[in-house]
Amino acid sequence: MIQRALYLILLLAAVVSCKTTPEARRPVTQRSGSFINESIERNKALVAKEEEQIEKLIARDSSNTYIASSNGFWYYYNSKSTDSLNVETPEFGDVVRFDYSVKDLYGTDIYTEGEIPTKRYAIDKEELFQGLREGLKLMKANETVTFIFPSHKAFGYYGDKNKIGTNVPIITQVTLHSITHETNK
């Protein structure tokens, strides 16, 4: 009889302790979108500050004619191709050979042309910082162009993990030596 009572108590305990619907777990802390909104505002302020610095630099330089690209950077030609047969710019998959140097907005060398070996780059198929990727597409063979890139078009928040720090706008002088067109177009 005691065994029956014990079984009955265990059976009742099992039935009562089981819930038919699980209870949802609540997060320990709840966050609003404030961090993202603050980050957006910080980035907008940073871009505005850099663009103001770049516009002041351009205003002081009366010896060059700057072109504002639709991609968010500025450039001018140091030497422009006058060859009437040289009208092609690189397209997706073309391999370009070029040299470049990097300075900060004050003109201080970060990387000289000799420090960076001549690069071979397949357009949009390899890694290269965004501004230079877009800038190379504007150039023809045997041209030298100076680009001014805000930090978000250069190395951005992370820098290059060597000489270029966080959020540093740069001036890059690029000489495009050759364009080898992809044969499988």
Side-chain angles (χ1 to χ4, degrees):
M1 178 120 166
I2 294 179
Q3 282 184 334
R4 282 187 183 176
L6 189 58
Y7 285 129
L8 186 60
I9 291 172
L10 285 174
L11 181 64
L12 266 171
V15 169
V16 172
S17 66
C18 293
K19 292 184 179 181
T20 57
T21 58
E23 188 174 320
R25 294 181 359 191
R26 302 281 176 220
V28 176
T29 59
Q30 293 184 0
R31 294 187 180 170
S32 64
S34 65
F35 174 77
I36 292 172
N37 294 336
E38 290 169 6
S39 178
I40 290 169
E41 292 306 314
R42 276 192 310 271
N43 287 334
K44 284 181 180 179
L46 176 67
V47 168
K49 178 182 161 202
E50 288 179 5
E51 286 179 358
E52 182 182 331
Q53 289 175 325
I54 291 169
E55 287 169 3
K56 285 180 183 178
L57 175 80
I58 290 170
R60 286 192 309 260
D61 185 4
S62 60
S63 61
N64 295 302
T65 304
Y66 287 85
I67 301 165
S69 83
S70 60
N71 295 316
F73 57 86
W74 295 260
Y75 65 100
Y76 67 86
Y77 288 92
N78 299 72
S79 65
K80 193 168 184 167
S81 177
T82 56
D83 183 3
S84 61
L85 299 176
N86 183 19
V87 294
E88 295 185 19
T89 57
E91 296 176 359
F92 178 82
D94 292 345
V95 176
V96 295
R97 194 172 59 82
F98 66 96
D99 287 309
Y100 72 103
S101 62
V102 179
K103 297 179 181 185
D104 64 17
L105 288 185
Y106 305 106
T108 306
D109 286 329
I110 298 174
Y111 292 107
T112 61
E113 200 167 304
E115 285 182 83
I116 303 172
T118 299
K119 298 270 188 191
R120 291 178 52 85
Y121 169 69
I123 299 291
D124 293 334
K125 288 188 170 185
E126 298 176 49
E127 287 295 316
L128 194 62
F129 69 89
Q130 183 181 7
L132 189 52
R133 254 192 341 255
E134 294 166 351
L136 285 167
K137 293 177 195 175
L138 301 172
M139 298 178 69
K140 299 173 187 161
N142 301 315
E143 287 185 335
T144 300
V145 177
T146 297
F147 296 98
I148 302 177
F149 298 118
S151 65
H152 66 277
K153 290 291 182 178
F155 293 94
Y157 178 75
Y158 294 104
D160 74 341
K161 298 190 167 96
N162 191 7
K163 292 185 176 183
I164 300 173
T166 299
N167 296 325
V168 176
I170 59 173
I171 300 172
T172 305
Q173 184 173 319
V174 181
T175 302
L176 182 59
H177 300 295
S178 65
I179 302 170
T180 306
H181 297 290
E182 184 179 51
T183 56
N184 301 340
K185 285 188 179 179

